[in-house]
Amino acid sequence: MRCLAARVNYKTLIIICALFTLVTVLLWNRCSSDRAGPFPRSLASLERRAAAASESDPARQQSEEASPQEQQKAPPVAGGFNGNKAPGLKYEEIDCLINDEHTVKGRREGNEVFLPFSWVEKYFEVYGKIAQYDGYDRFEFSHSYSKVYTQRAPYHPDGVFMSFEGYNVEVRDRVKCISGVEGVPLSTQWGPQGYFYPIQIAQYGLSHYSKNLTEKPPHIEVYETAEEKDKTSRSVDWTVPKGCSLSTVSDKAKFTSVKQFVAPENTEGVSLQLGNTRDFIISFDLKFITNGSVSVVLETTEKNQLFTVHYVSNTQLIAFKDRDIYYGIGPRTSWSTLTRDLVTDLRKGVGLSNTKAVKQTKIMPKRVVRLVAKGRGFLDNITISATAHMAAFFAASNWLVRNQDERGGWPIMVTRKLGEGFKSLDPGWYSAMAQGQAISTLVRAYLLTKDHTFLSSALRATAPYKLPSEQRGVKAVFMNRHDWYEEYPTSPSSFVLNGFMYSLIGLYDLKETAGEKLGKEARVLYERGMESLKAMLPLYDTGSGTIYDLRHFMLGTAPNLARWDYHTTHINQLQLLSTIDESPIFKEFVKRWKSYLRGGRAKHN
């Protein structure tokens, strides 16, 4: 009996253990399914890849007209998957047939089906990314990638130009460099050799003018004025090696003392210790007696290596060898001020290439170590500052005065092919957008200086507005009725919208500044253009966006839809015009076109 009882207890124990194990496995499976998140790992990884792609794709990044979004706290989740998920529902994979053409893998949860955002993004041309707010992740979706600026009302010809304080022309990868001779950017947009593009030069001037109005005055460090009693400068630390000389002399032209240097090319040159780690805009007055150079030694983020930027008295554009970058600044045999952005000069030199785009580089200057002068010449007013916006603005303004031709225009010396069906524009063509933005630049230079040279140049710039493209002008006529000023004076006419509106803003600046008598011609051209704009604006509205030009009408091709950054440019321009013209059409179109940025659409039948 004792053995039987032992066997019974042993079997009972085995049964009890088996039941316990079964219950444990069931509970474990139940807990694991409850802990599974609403987004499977494969879908989350797709979303992260989509977010990374959208951040790295330059076509999706905000244009320079876009305002930076302010960081906001995450709003409370209304509904959402967690709030609406029925208990017990699980994700399962499902094939999604797209237009009877191809299949993508989706996720199903009850009656809901979820498609990967990487597919949604490309199919619908929408944008999204995973961002972190208050310590947790959320997915941010947007219908467009560009934003509209708040218009400063009302617009004035001496004020900020649109939203150009947000422009950084010199850092664009299609800007080869800032010319040492001219002080303005060279474009490679349509040719890797580099050429002066009046639109880009005017934008360079207008952006720095606008920054000067919207930013605080810069910090300036004075290193040398050659004046013993000047208490604003730092203690001067010059090094003069054997075979070189440095002296303080009086200059009759400047009515002040200056530094005269003699340093043969085969010497180390006379040098001034700077040691500035805060700012990187260097400026100095310079006059050479012989060929020479002024070089700036920079300590960089590239393993603390020293790079040297040489400003040489020749006309070479730019060169880069080892850790030396060369910019020709011309002979400089009379007094002139050289102002250079050392960050831009360093990065353009290191990124120098034979293609249209400057190579990307992460190198940055950490410290301005010293200035070195060679040859024979004079130096004065050596400073380093945080910005020098007005120097850039006047470099652009003076370039426009010097390079305006006898026809009143700024010829663009590169071939431009707008698209199939349009004849190529041969070098020497004019652009109404260039004329308009140049006028806006020159008017501001005149209002600052009261120098009539700038105003006279702006007045002459209206001449191409009156001539058709066949006569090397920029005027087109739509349907034999509406005058239009062409950004690209193509054959047949192209009717680009944003370039036309820029040309009108220039005419407005001129008519308001020149007065009733001198500004009469600009006023007539402006009024005719505004009549055309009001009549033709509906032609650029697709019901969900805008159109860049009217090639679909002129050539019978598919419409050339405006990218979102051009769409917001259209809105920004109309906002500006609405402050100087009370016609309700501008505000109506601004309201409707803004709605398109958030997915709005015109009503269907």
Side-chain angles (χ1 to χ4, degrees):
M1 290 294 291
R2 187 176 301 168
C3 292
L4 179 61
R7 283 198 295 273
V8 169
N9 291 338
Y10 178 74
K11 290 180 180 179
T12 303
L13 182 62
I14 291 173
I15 292 170
I16 291 170
C17 289
L19 290 172
F20 180 80
T21 302
L22 180 61
V23 169
T24 302
V25 170
L26 290 173
L27 288 172
W28 176 264
N29 288 338
R30 178 65 180 271
C31 291
S32 298
S33 64
D34 286 346
R35 283 198 305 269
F39 293 96
R41 183 178 301 174
S42 60
L43 186 59
S45 65
L46 281 172
E47 290 170 338
R48 290 191 184 96
R49 288 207 306 272
S54 69
E55 290 174 6
S56 62
D57 186 351
R60 295 176 185 137
Q61 294 173 356
Q62 293 182 7
S63 72
E64 291 182 330
E65 294 239 7
S67 58
Q69 285 182 290
E70 294 184 66
Q71 286 199 352
Q72 301 173 358
K73 290 191 175 182
V77 177
F81 302 131
N82 290 334
N84 294 336
K85 184 175 177 182
L89 290 180
K90 299 178 183 178
Y91 280 97
E92 58 183 24
E93 195 171 86
I94 186 172
D95 288 337
C96 302
L97 181 62
I98 309 298
N99 297 329
D100 288 329
E101 293 176 349
H102 62 278
T103 301
V104 298
K105 294 293 183 181
R107 299 289 185 271
R108 178 181 179 183
E109 181 191 27
N111 292 327
E112 286 281 8
V113 174
F114 303 95
L115 290 166
F117 184 73
S118 56
W119 177 85
V120 172
E121 181 180 37
K122 294 177 181 178
Y123 188 83
F124 293 102
E125 293 188 24
V126 291
Y127 310 90
K129 63 180 180 179
I130 296 174
Q132 191 174 74
Y133 288 82
D134 293 342
Y136 65 91
D137 289 347
R138 75 176 184 190
F139 187 75
E140 295 181 343
F141 172 91
S142 60
H143 188 76
S144 62
Y145 61 81
S146 193
K147 301 293 183 279
V148 176
Y149 270 83
T150 301
Q151 171 61 36
R152 297 174 179 85
Y155 172 78
H156 292 292
D158 62 348
V160 173
F161 188 83
M162 284 188 54
S163 55
F164 273 37
E165 74 277 13
Y167 273 42
N168 294 292
V169 175
E170 52 268 49
V171 306
R172 297 174 185 172
D173 61 3
R174 297 298 178 91
V175 169
K176 193 178 188 76
C177 65
I178 303 299
S179 165
V181 175
E182 301 287 352
V184 296
L186 271 91
S187 177
T188 56
Q189 187 169 351
W190 300 316
Q193 74 281 1
Y195 55 93
F196 292 112
Y197 187 32
I199 290 176
Q200 197 173 74
I201 292 169
Q203 290 183 355
Y204 177 69
L206 289 168
S207 68
H208 281 284
Y209 179 90
S210 299
K211 289 175 190 289
N212 187 65
L213 291 179
T214 56
E215 295 179 3
K216 294 179 180 179
H219 171 262
I220 301 175
E221 196 78 50
V222 180
Y223 288 89
E224 177 63 83
T225 65
E227 296 290 339
E228 294 182 3
K229 297 180 180 179
D230 188 354
K231 298 180 180 179
T232 62
S233 61
R234 296 157 50 109
S235 59
V236 180
D237 188 11
W238 285 95
T239 300
V240 184
K242 186 176 180 180
C244 302
S245 66
L246 182 72
S247 58
T248 301
V249 299
S250 178
D251 187 276
K252 295 180 180 179
K254 288 173 65 71
F255 301 103
T256 185
S257 296
V258 299
K259 287 293 183 181
Q260 181 176 17
F261 62 89
V262 177
E265 187 63 33
N266 59 357
T267 66
E268 294 180 0
V270 299
S271 61
L272 173 64
Q273 294 300 314
L274 301 173
N276 196 315
T277 59
R278 173 174 174 172
D279 302 317
F280 298 97
I281 307 291
I282 193 164
S283 179
F284 48 85
D285 297 341
L286 174 65
K287 177 184 175 181
F288 281 123
I289 299 173
T290 63
N291 290 336
S293 65
V294 176
S295 305
V296 182
V297 181
L298 301 172
E299 181 184 336
T300 68
T301 56
E302 189 71 21
K303 300 177 181 177
N304 295 327
Q305 290 182 341
L306 297 180
F307 282 70
T308 304
V309 184
H310 305 271
Y311 303 106
V312 188
S313 61
N314 60 32
T315 56
Q316 181 182 36
L317 178 60
I318 182 174
F320 176 53
K321 184 178 180 181
D322 298 328
R323 292 196 294 274
D324 292 287
I325 301 160
Y326 300 87
Y327 288 89
I329 59 172
R332 304 273 173 166
T333 53
S334 58
W335 279 109
S336 63
T337 301
L338 185 68
T339 303
R340 302 296 298 185
D341 183 338
L342 296 171
V343 175
T344 300
D345 284 350
L346 172 68
R347 290 169 65 85
K348 295 295 183 182
V350 173
L352 188 63
S353 73
N354 294 321
T355 65
K356 291 182 179 180
V358 174
K359 291 185 293 187
Q360 295 296 312
T361 176
K362 294 182 179 179
I363 192 169
M364 291 289 287
K366 289 174 59 179
R367 184 165 65 99
V368 186
V369 181
R370 61 183 174 271
L371 176 147
V372 181
K374 290 185 178 183
R376 293 179 61 196
F378 304 91
L379 280 167
D380 195 19
N381 296 327
I382 302 172
T383 66
I384 293 179
S385 60
T387 60
H389 294 313
M390 296 315 290
F393 169 71
F394 280 113
S397 302
N398 290 324
W399 185 93
L400 291 169
V401 170
R402 289 194 306 271
N403 290 274
Q404 187 177 33
D405 67 12
E406 69 282 355
R407 300 168 64 92
W410 290 273
I412 298 168
M413 304 308 295
V414 65
T415 300
R416 175 70 169 122
K417 177 72 172 177
L418 188 59
E420 290 299 321
F422 292 111
K423 293 181 181 179
S424 295
L425 294 170
D426 294 328
W429 55 279
Y430 301 126
S431 166
M433 179 171 169
Q435 299 297 121
Q437 292 193 336
I439 290 172
S440 292
T441 306
L442 292 166
V443 162
R444 284 163 171 78
Y446 166 71
L447 291 172
L448 278 174
T449 64
K450 301 305 178 185
D451 184 343
H452 280 267
T453 303
F454 295 118
L455 182 60
S456 297
S457 180
L459 289 167
R460 289 196 302 274
T462 60
Y465 282 80
K466 298 177 288 183
L467 296 175
S469 57
E470 305 85 56
Q471 299 178 28
R472 287 195 66 203
V474 298
K475 179 182 174 182
V477 182
F478 185 73
M479 299 293 287
N480 297 317
R481 184 175 179 181
H482 299 297
D483 287 359
W484 192 273
Y485 313 124
E486 291 270 63
E487 178 178 351
Y488 303 108
T490 53
S491 179
S493 301
S494 45
F495 300 101
V496 175
L497 179 58
N498 83 93
F500 176 57
M501 286 195 279
Y502 278 129
S503 76
L504 294 178
I505 296 169
L507 290 172
Y508 175 82
D509 288 342
L510 183 55
K511 82 176 185 68
E512 290 294 300
T513 302
E516 186 174 350
K517 185 177 179 180
L518 290 176
K520 181 179 179 180
E521 192 171 76
R523 178 179 57 80
V524 171
L525 292 168
Y526 170 77
E527 290 174 353
R528 288 178 182 171
M530 289 293 278
E531 289 175 7
S532 300
L533 179 63
K534 295 169 188 177
M536 294 173 62
L537 263 182
L539 301 179
Y540 293 86
D541 193 327
T542 69
S544 59
T546 51
I547 295 173
Y548 179 79
D549 55 29
L550 295 185
R551 68 182 65 190
H552 59 295
F553 186 88
M554 302 304 296
L555 299 174
T557 61
N560 186 20
L561 301 180
R563 298 195 314 255
W564 285 121
D565 47 347
Y566 276 106
H567 179 73
T568 52
T569 296
H570 294 157
I571 297 171
N572 288 328
Q573 290 173 315
L574 289 181
Q575 284 187 151
L576 183 154
L577 293 174
S578 71
T579 70
I580 58 179
D581 188 302
E582 296 181 352
S583 300
I585 187 172
F586 295 133
K587 292 182 180 178
E588 291 169 3
F589 272 77
V590 164
K591 182 179 180 181
R592 184 159 69 248
W593 287 2
K594 278 184 176 179
S595 74
Y596 297 160
L597 294 168
R598 301 184 299 274
R601 290 177 177 269
K603 294 180 179 179
H604 56 70
N605 58 10

